[in-house]
Amino acid sequence: MLELLIAAALLLSLIFYAVTGGADSGGGMWDLLASGPRRDEQRNAIARAIGPIWEANHVWLILIVVLLFTAFPSAFAVTMTALFIPFSLMLIGVIFRGSAFIFRKYDSPAKEVQGRWSTLFGAASFFTPFVQGMILGALATGQIRVSEGRVATGFLAGWLTPFAFACGFFALALCAFLAAVYLTIDTKDRELENDFRFRALCSGIALAPIAAAAFLFAKNGAPEIFHGLTNWWAIPLIGLTSGCAVVALVSLWFRKFVAARATSIATASLVLIGWSAAQFPYLVVPDITIHAAAAPAITLRLLLIALCLGGALLFPSLFFLYRIFKSNQ
Amino acid sequence: MSDFLFARSLMGMSLAFHIIFAAIGVALPLLMVTAEGVYLRTGKPIYLELARRWSRGSAILFAVGAVSGTVLSFELGLLWPTFMEKAGAIIGMPFSLEGFAFFAEAIFLGVYLSGWKLLSPFVHWLSGVLVVIGGVSSAIFVVTANAWMNAPAGFKIVDGKITDIDPIAAMLNQASFHQVIHMVLSAFIATGFAVAAVHAFFLLRKKDDAFHRAALGIALVVGCVCVPLQIWSGDLSGREVGRLQPAKLAAMEAAYRTQNGAPLVVGGIPNDDAQTIKYAITLPRFLSLLAKRDPNATIAGLDQVPRSDWPNVRLVHWSFDVMASSGFALFFLSLTVALLAWKRRSLPDDRWLLRVLVAAGPLGFIAMEAGWMVTELGRQPWIIYGIMRTNEAVTPMPGLAVPFIIFTCVYLFLAFMVAYLLRREFFRAPAPGERQTTTASTRA
Ligand code: HDD
Ligand code: HEM
Ligand code: HEM
């Protein structure tokens, strides 16, 4: 029971990471793709939106790792061994994304200097969520096998499959979509708003074929997920998810940006919830379950207490930060 | 080099890099909050400007601290999966708590940085205080995890399996107390003297700049108060190491043989095969006196430890000497500063003293890096002292030279950029007149 609660906290952190940190990555993508007459304005709007909160958004990633190695140490060991290569790549992406963003802010305002940092920031913003999507995909493929606690399938299993790539692209599109939707709210200028609205619509529509492709690849590439998603409960869940996505697009169309934000966040959360429901009870399909990998009860109990106390202190603070930050703009 | 050595080097390099930013992340907010506190009491705008400038600098360093810390939390599993598999349930707790502490730090730093105009001065200052508390607690938590590797506690081993886990007892292991105190002080010392060096440098160019005088004053107070405490806590650390990890103490002192009335050995070139040390300065009976408070006490030498379990004696011994001599150099510097300040009832600003302060800027960081080398290299060949060997913990991944080279280049690039950007920030120092107007307009 305890381990299920921690697993739920893990999922919650993943969702928070996707809708905050993921959207920051999406901002980086639109920075790289900034174009048209309002190119610089777009970039400024993005930089303002990410601003000093990206570190707080980034902490969700840390929380995910820490929860994983404290509560599910053997799953952590297996994941980090089997996916050594994509995790290392992701780290390089994380380093360049964070540092390029802050270096750009403090380096010379000259055009070519700023351009160089923007390119690096943007490229890393594409790269990082793509690899993260791949990693999540790889865990679901069922190709990472464990025998006697050791990884038996080497270092290339799972993450180089079409399914994992499809997950990577899906993560990209989702981050881009979220970012563009948020940006429509953050900007006051009508034309700039239109730029981001257009981008949000494009990336939102792109989600559908990518999701379909991932689903098709899952049939052979991640049978457990495919099987899960064809369960009785999956149909209404998928319906709800797509419903949210459609409402998000329609609200964008009618310029109801606040509604679009709420529904796009709901879409992203439902995708992750559906995914984990389909993968339940596995952390690494098919050899490591939540139950088998769980740390002793005392660790889980303390961790849960820490999570509750930490949440009670940090959520109000985080809310305070967002409020100050918004009223500063 | 073997993959194993590359793994160790990669881990060591990442930590040596991270610790610089971590130490600054702990201590710079303290300087910042102190400056703002002085402003709140005296109303002198120069202190407000100082707090602003320090907070601007800290934003860059924070970002690099955050990304390098993220890398570390993954590297623990990427490089040492077997270690994390066994230790995760036991010491995951302090890492999780560090996560929360850091989260608080990041949130309130965000509040601090964007709240200059929106918050009342006192609430703004309070958010700075919370940044300090977050930073210091995250240091405390991680260091307890490291201390656990030195003095494992809070579990039992039955038939080779770990049972009866008690994460709280693991956090409160016997090495935590001395390591935490020593580390937190070292962050204040390293940052204090480094910041003092920067402002001393500017005072050498322009003697009466009130801005840099104010900055130098605060940085020196923090640094000079902590150094004597650090000597005390270093002595405590030495005694505790002698009790908990005799092999580490023996390597620190290149003590090959067990002796009554053992000497303190400074410098020299230890030779493992001959089990002697050449060209060293020896202070008879001092080691026994320091470690056991008795000039005739017996100190275990490396002969008590199988040769295969020796750490690298040369590196540990030299690192210890570097730390201790930097520590004493800073101690005498602090004494001088304190004496001069007491005699003149003002900040001493003789040119020679400013030059010495500039030269002493890196000493705190050098001592800190060297101290960690003592701790980490001195623990070898164990990753969990007496329980698990480092080579049992390493990943089976081949070709670790590749990530080692890539991450080395990345870190060099980051270090270069940070140095370059900080230099830019420093040299952008506005003229005094300009400063008045900026502060006036922001508080208006
Ligand atoms: C500004 C930094 C600084 C200064 C001036 C000193 N140290 Fe230190 N020392 C550290 C920074 C440091 C450190 C980096 O913070 C370490 C590494 C691990 C730790 O807990 O603290 C450390 C570790 C460390 C250890 C090993 C602790 C262990 O492995 O558990 C000993 C025995 C000492 N120190 C002793 C001293 C003595 C006798 C000093 C007196 C001159 C001294 N240190 C000055
Ligand atoms: C809380 C803090 C720390 C923790 C939990 C920690 C943990 C570890 C671990 C797990 C290893 C690999 C296993 C081993 O070699 O024993 C390691 C190695 C190492 N660490 Fe640390 N470390 C910490 C702080 C530091 C700091 C701040 C530095 C440097 C300035 C440092 C320097 C090194 C070095 C040089 C190695 C390689 C040692 C070797 O294998 O010979 N460590 N550390
Ligand atoms: C194995 C050792 C370590 C790990 C895994 C680790 C992990 C981390 C992580 C993940 C972060 C960034 C948090 C984020 O971005 O959300 C961080 C930052 C930080 N770490 Fe470490 N750390 C280690 C060693 C240390 C040590 C030895 C200290 C000692 C003082 C320390 C103090 C800090 C501080 C103060 C920060 C905040 C960064 C800043 O404010 O600049 N860490 N660490």
Side-chain angles (χ1 to χ4, degrees), chain B residues 225-250:
Chain B
V225 167
C226 292
V227 172
L229 296 174
Q230 183 73 327
I231 305 273
W232 161 76
S233 88
D235 171 60
L236 175 70
S237 298
R239 271 182 289 145
E240 291 295 295
V241 169
R243 187 167 68 88
L244 299 167
Q245 295 176 286
K248 188 188 271 182
L249 184 71

Side-chain angles (χ1 to χ4, degrees), chain A:
Chain A
M1 187 56 210
L2 281 171
E3 62 267 24
L4 292 184
L5 288 175
I6 304 274
L10 202 58
L11 173 61
L12 206 61
S13 316
L14 193 63
I15 291 176
F16 276 115
Y17 183 58
V19 302
T20 60
D24 287 349
S25 285
M29 298 176 202
W30 294 124
D31 185 296
L32 191 67
L33 297 178
S35 59
R38 287 169 299 279
R39 211 173 116 162
D40 292 340
E41 285 87 340
Q42 289 171 10
R43 291 212 161 127
N44 287 338
I46 294 165
R48 259 199 321 273
I50 302 179
I53 49 174
W54 73 267
E55 277 179 358
N57 294 345
H58 172 86
V59 180
W60 296 112
L61 178 63
I62 312 299
L63 194 62
I64 294 169
V65 192
V66 171
L67 284 179
L68 197 61
F69 72 55
T70 310
F72 306 106
S74 54
F76 180 66
V78 164
T79 315
M80 292 290 148
T81 308
L83 300 175
F84 185 100
I85 300 170
F87 270 115
S88 301
L89 294 173
M90 180 200 86
L91 287 178
I92 292 173
V94 166
I95 294 179
F96 281 115
R97 197 171 74 85
S99 54
F101 179 70
I102 198 91
F103 290 169
R104 178 176 69 173
K105 184 162 161 209
Y106 285 90
D107 207 338
S108 138
K111 255 222 154 61
E112 71 279 5
V113 178
Q114 291 287 311
R116 230 175 294 147
W117 288 126
S118 288
T119 313
L120 186 60
F121 171 56
S125 298
F126 270 98
F127 186 70
T128 314
F130 182 73
V131 182
Q132 285 165 339
M134 263 170 108
I135 289 173
L136 277 186
L139 292 176
T141 55
Q143 297 188 7
I144 298 173
R145 298 304 304 261
V146 181
S147 76
E148 289 166 12
R150 296 277 157 268
V151 176
T153 41
F155 304 99
L156 301 177
W159 60 281
L160 290 172
T161 56
F163 175 70
F165 275 82
C167 293
F169 282 112
F170 186 78
L172 273 187
L174 191 63
C175 293
F177 176 57
L178 288 172
V181 173
Y182 298 173
L183 284 163
T184 55
I185 299 184
D186 289 340
T187 47
K188 299 280 167 293
D189 179 272
R190 176 86 182 192
E191 301 214 299
L192 208 53
E193 203 176 86
N194 275 336
D195 287 353
F196 288 125
R197 171 170 166 258
F198 177 67
R199 282 165 172 71
L201 285 169
C202 291
S203 49
I205 291 169
L207 276 174
I210 302 179
F215 189 69
L216 288 182
F217 284 131
K219 189 166 181 3
N220 292 318
E224 192 64 38
I225 292 278
F226 187 79
H227 186 73
L229 287 181
T230 45
N231 265 339
W232 62 266
W233 51 262
I235 315 296
L237 194 64
I238 294 179
L240 190 60
T241 314
S242 349
C244 279
V246 171
V247 175
L249 290 174
V250 172
S251 340
L252 274 173
W253 183 257
F254 290 108
R255 317 188 70 88
K256 301 277 179 263
F257 295 128
V258 176
R261 178 170 65 182
T263 39
S264 64
I265 291 179
T267 311
S269 315
L270 285 169
V271 167
L272 288 169
I273 291 172
W275 176 304
S276 37
Q279 190 173 318
F280 187 84
Y282 297 106
L283 285 169
V284 184
V285 182
D287 288 326
I288 297 195
T289 60
I290 293 178
H291 185 70
I298 177 162
T299 305
L300 300 180
R301 206 170 303 128
L302 284 170
L303 193 58
L304 215 54
I305 296 173
L307 277 172
C308 294
L309 287 181
L313 289 174
L314 291 179
F315 272 110
S317 318
L318 196 60
F319 182 71
F320 184 55
L321 172 65
Y322 282 121
R323 234 196 41 203
I324 292 203
F325 184 63
K326 289 293 171 218
S327 49
N328 219 7
Q329 283 185 346

Side-chain angles (χ1 to χ4, degrees), chain B residues 19 143 146-147 150 175-176 178-191 227 230-242 244-245 248-249 252 290 320 322-331 363-376 378-379:
Chain B
I19 194 68
V143 172
N146 180 270
N150 286 325
S176 285
H178 74 265
Q179 277 199 252
V180 162
I181 294 190
H182 203 57
M183 176 62 223
V184 172
L185 286 172
S186 86
F188 291 146
I189 293 172
T191 310
V227 172
Q230 183 73 327
I231 305 273
W232 161 76
S233 88
D235 171 60
L236 175 70
S237 298
R239 271 182 289 145
E240 291 295 295
V241 169
L244 299 167
Q245 295 176 286
K248 188 188 271 182
L249 184 71
M252 277 156 56
L290 284 176
F320 180 72
V322 169
M323 167 173 62
S325 37
S326 316
F328 279 105
L330 288 175
F331 180 63
L363 273 186
F365 279 104
I366 291 174
M368 192 173 80
E369 296 282 354
W372 277 107
M373 294 304 148
V374 173
T375 304
E376 302 287 308
R379 189 183 56 240

